[in-house]
Amino acid sequence: SPVAETFRVIEGAMSEEYVRTTQGVFQFELSGDGGGTWYIDLKTKGGSTGRGKPPVTADVVMSMSSEDFVKMFT
């Protein structure tokens, strides 16, 4: 799905520098195609992305359509 592909690209772009300077966990509640709960962890060593709840408590939770999420990151 476009959402899964967007998260794959985000994870590929992660670096220790982003994690060190951001120190935040973002949870996305997405509606529509490919929706559900997803996260970007820029707090835990190495960073990560995935489907479902983040491994640690989210600092920010955003709700939007999956279409808007993909637009936001492209």
Side-chain angles (χ1 to χ4, degrees):
S1 75
V3 171
E5 177 62 16
T6 301
F7 274 98
R8 188 189 66 72
V9 170
I10 292 167
E11 184 150 12
M14 282 187 179
S15 69
E16 284 295 332
E17 174 75 9
Y18 287 143
V19 173
R20 186 176 56 75
T21 59
T22 305
Q23 288 297 295
V25 178
F26 305 88
Q27 181 175 320
F28 300 90
E29 297 297 334
L30 304 178
S31 61
D33 184 38
T37 301
W38 294 79
Y39 70 89
I40 300 171
D41 178 353
L42 292 172
K43 190 179 262 185
T44 307
K45 183 171 175 56
S48 64
T49 67
R51 187 168 204 150
K53 298 248 183 209
V56 296
T57 303
D59 298 298
V60 177
V61 178
M62 292 184 238
S63 297
M64 67 186 73
S65 72
S66 56
E67 183 179 336
D68 285 345
F69 171 82
V70 172
K71 285 179 187 175
M72 183 171 76
F73 280 93
T74 55

